[in-house]
């Protein structure tokens, strides 16, 4: 924060009066279940986006992003989603979502910094939206519940940017707990519990450094297939509202109602919810072997049923099976490129990291970014005094 305050003073010739920070997140199990009102096991990470800000008594927002070394300006009275540089559309989206809730804010100046990896699947955008939102809530004393704060961030993606994502990213960024996984329910929109991460294994992120060109449209297509599958099942079964309500048995017995694509998408979601339930039991019993096996199962279902994997992600997960200390690995987040997460016995973590880097480099001549991640705490804000 101190560095940010200094840059703010230099840039804007004044002192910031509010500060906030919000972490990225990792999806542990429960892939694409959030918008199906399912359950997810996730965690916030140590990597965070921080912001300091002050009202500037105009309608203009002036931003400086330290990582990009770029400035951006927009007018809160004339919001569009075509601002350049592109990253400024996230804060503009936050202001727009606040306005939609009659929570207007005036112009402000802000300096931002972040160490959440960009475009990788660790939700740098949710960390950014949440940090800005928490800063504005502090600055303007806005009365917003934590669940609504997550909905505001999701609204930026859904309404301002046109990606039909669920609530997982913002929710994890807000509700994260140090050294713990959080179990979230996206029907009731609440944290059902936190589960401490055991000391014997660590989480390694391996970034494929490759991203599908049509990530957003592929994501929206997956969501549409889940919703049409749910609608067909709901027409026959009163107990079904979303795929959350569908059991494995029901899905099999009504398979003929669905197209092959709808069936496989639904199967992934139904089984992911089941895997989350099993994971909680395994973690309670400290059974990391069985917990990790679910990660491999989950990836296989992404590859075969949900088809949100890529050859590069498949390769990384395939490599994991032969490495010392491997307990499980899977793609994490939306998919179509980005990161894989690996559960690795602590004693082997360094060796595993080296070996997977070498194997991936031999495969495609790209050095993957690898990060040992620790579950971190959720978003915070504070009043700053000069
Ligand atoms: C992205 C979305 C989330 C969630 C995951 C997949 O991260 O933003 O809402 O759907 O993909 O689980």
């Amino acid at each position: 924060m101190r560095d940010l305050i200094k840059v703010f003073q230099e840039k804007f010739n004044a002192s910031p009066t509010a500060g906030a920070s919000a972490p990225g997140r990792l999806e542990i199990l429960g892939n694409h279940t959030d918008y199906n009102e399912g359950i997810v096991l996730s965690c916030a990470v140590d990597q965070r986006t921080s912001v300091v800000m002050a009202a500037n008594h105009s309608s203009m927002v002036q931003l400086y992003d330290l990582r990009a070394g770029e400035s951006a300006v927009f007018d809160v009275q004339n919001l569009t989603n075509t601002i350049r540089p592109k990253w400024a559309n996230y804060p503009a989206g936050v202001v727009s979502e606040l306005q939609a809730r009659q929570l207007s804010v005036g112009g402000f100046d802000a300096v931002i910094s972040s160490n959440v990896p960009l475009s990788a699947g660790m939700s740098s955008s949710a960390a950014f939206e949440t940090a800005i939102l928490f800063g504005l809530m502090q600055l303007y004393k806005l009365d917003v519940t934590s669940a609504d704060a997550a909905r505001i961030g999701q609204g930026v993606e859904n309404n301002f940017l046109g990606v039909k994502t669920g609530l997982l990213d913002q929710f994890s960024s807000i509700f994260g707990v140090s050294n713990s996984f959080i179990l979230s329910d996206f029907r009731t929109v609440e944290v059902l519990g936190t589960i401490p991460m055991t000391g014997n294994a660590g989480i390694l992120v391996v970034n494929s450094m490759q991203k599908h060109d049509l990530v957003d449209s592929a994501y929206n297509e997956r969501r549409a297939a889940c919703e049409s599958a749910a609608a067909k099942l709901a027409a026959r079964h009163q107990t079904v509202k979303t795929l959350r309500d569908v059991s494995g048995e029901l899905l099999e017995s009504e398979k003929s109602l669905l197209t092959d694509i709808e069936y496989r998408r639904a199967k992934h979601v139904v089984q992911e919810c089941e895997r989350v339930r099993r994971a909680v039991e395994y973690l309670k019993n400290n059974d990391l072997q069985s917990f990790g096996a679910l990660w491999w199962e989950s990836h296989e279902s992404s590859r075969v049923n949900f088809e949100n994997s890529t050859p590069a992600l498949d390769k990384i997960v395939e490599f994991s099976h032969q490495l010392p200390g491997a307990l499980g690995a899977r793609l994490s987040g939306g998919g179509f490129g980005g990161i894989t997460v690996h559960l690795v016995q602590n004693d082997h973590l360094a060796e595993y990291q080296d070996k997977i880097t070498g194997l991936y480099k031999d495969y495609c001549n790209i050095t993957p970014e690898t990060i040992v991640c620790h579950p971190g705490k959720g978003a915070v804000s504070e009043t700053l005094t000069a």
Side-chain angles (χ1 to χ4, degrees):
M1 270 304 165
R2 202 169 292 155
D3 290 351
L4 280 186
I5 293 173
K6 205 162 156 256
V7 176
F8 188 99
Q9 286 164 339
E10 283 161 18
K11 290 264 163 210
F12 299 114
N13 228 348
S15 287
T17 55
S21 76
R25 66 97 188 90
L26 291 177
E27 173 202 278
I28 300 299
L29 283 166
N31 187 241
H32 285 259
T33 60
D34 61 350
Y35 54 80
N36 292 299
E37 298 188 351
I39 52 176
V40 186
L41 196 64
S42 69
C43 64
V45 289
D46 269 353
Q47 288 77 7
R48 302 178 78 84
T49 297
S50 303
V51 60
V52 294
M53 54 172 69
N56 63 17
H57 312 292
S58 76
S59 67
M60 299 308 289
V61 174
Q62 307 189 88
L63 305 167
Y64 180 70
D65 179 22
L66 264 173
R67 168 156 65 181
E70 286 175 340
S71 299
V73 179
F74 63 86
D75 188 339
V76 298
Q77 287 170 0
N78 180 24
L79 294 170
T80 69
N81 63 6
T82 53
I83 307 166
R84 292 293 172 271
K86 270 187 164 178
W87 53 263
N89 291 294
Y90 291 105
V94 171
V95 174
S96 164
E97 284 298 304
L98 286 172
Q99 288 176 352
R101 290 166 174 78
Q102 271 73 53
L103 295 167
S104 294
V105 298
F108 60 94
D109 300 333
V111 175
I112 304 130
S113 77
S114 179
N115 61 357
V116 184
L118 288 172
S119 307
M122 286 178 68
S123 293
S124 55
S125 51
F128 189 18
E129 290 149 8
T130 307
I132 292 284
L133 175 61
F134 270 57
L136 289 173
M137 281 157 52
Q138 184 78 33
L139 194 60
Y140 288 96
K141 304 282 170 255
L142 302 177
D143 193 14
V144 177
T145 65
S146 295
D148 278 340
R151 290 188 183 98
I152 289 173
Q154 181 193 27
V156 175
E157 306 283 342
N158 292 182
N159 308 324
F160 204 68
L161 303 170
V163 197
K164 299 294 172 201
T165 47
L167 265 174
L168 171 67
D169 307 345
Q170 295 79 11
F171 204 76
S172 309
S173 179
I174 292 170
F175 289 98
V177 174
S178 290
N179 293 319
S180 300
F181 296 123
I182 58 171
L183 172 67
S184 308
D185 184 325
F186 289 100
R187 167 156 287 163
T188 54
V189 191
E190 62 179 342
V191 175
L192 296 177
T194 59
I195 305 153
M197 164 105 189
T198 79
N200 302 332
I203 304 171
L204 179 71
V205 166
V206 180
N207 188 349
S208 70
M209 318 299 279
Q210 295 182 6
K211 196 114 197 153
H212 201 290
D213 285 343
L214 299 169
V215 181
D216 294 351
S217 58
Y219 184 97
N220 290 350
E221 241 173 70
R222 293 302 179 283
R223 181 169 182 158
C226 290
E227 286 168 355
S228 66
K232 286 181 183 173
L233 296 169
R236 284 274 199 105
H237 297 271
Q238 277 191 345
T239 51
V240 174
K241 194 176 142 245
T242 66
L243 290 182
R244 153 70 176 266
D245 308 307
V246 178
S247 66
E249 297 76 55
L250 180 77
L251 182 64
E252 290 311 312
S253 67
E254 297 292 19
K255 190 173 172 182
S256 61
L257 288 178
L258 308 177
T259 65
D260 175 55
I261 294 253
E262 285 166 345
Y263 167 72
R264 285 186 294 122
R265 305 303 188 242
K267 187 169 176 180
H268 179 69
V269 171
V270 167
Q271 293 187 337
E272 278 292 289
C273 287
E274 195 44 45
R275 276 188 277 275
V276 171
R277 285 188 201 100
R278 284 161 64 199
V280 172
E281 288 310 307
Y282 294 146
L283 281 169
K284 276 190 196 147
N285 298 328
N286 216 357
D287 180 358
L288 289 182
Q289 210 86 36
S290 305
F291 175 51
L294 295 174
W295 296 32
W296 277 315
E297 262 183 41
S298 167
H299 186 83
E300 188 56 14
S301 172
S302 272
R303 189 178 74 79
V304 176
N305 294 325
F306 213 68
E307 296 180 288
N308 60 334
S309 187
T310 61
L313 295 174
D314 291 343
K315 212 52 186 178
I316 296 175
V317 171
E318 193 187 309
F319 292 146
S320 72
H321 286 275
Q322 68 190 60
L323 292 176
L327 293 165
R330 60 182 293 271
L331 68 79
S332 172
F336 312 108
I339 57 161
T340 53
V341 285
H342 301 242
L343 187 68
V344 183
Q345 286 164 349
N346 273 336
D347 299 347
H348 292 280
L349 207 44
E351 182 190 358
Y352 188 111
Q353 196 167 356
D354 276 0
K355 288 207 161 134
I356 201 136
T357 302
L359 286 165
Y360 190 63
K361 179 119 201 288
D362 290 346
Y363 160 68
C364 62
N365 212 16
I366 295 171
T367 304
E369 181 181 20
T370 57
I371 311 165
V372 178
C373 278
H374 303 283
K377 67 169 184 203
V380 291
S381 65
E382 62 185 305
T383 297
L384 300 174
T385 42

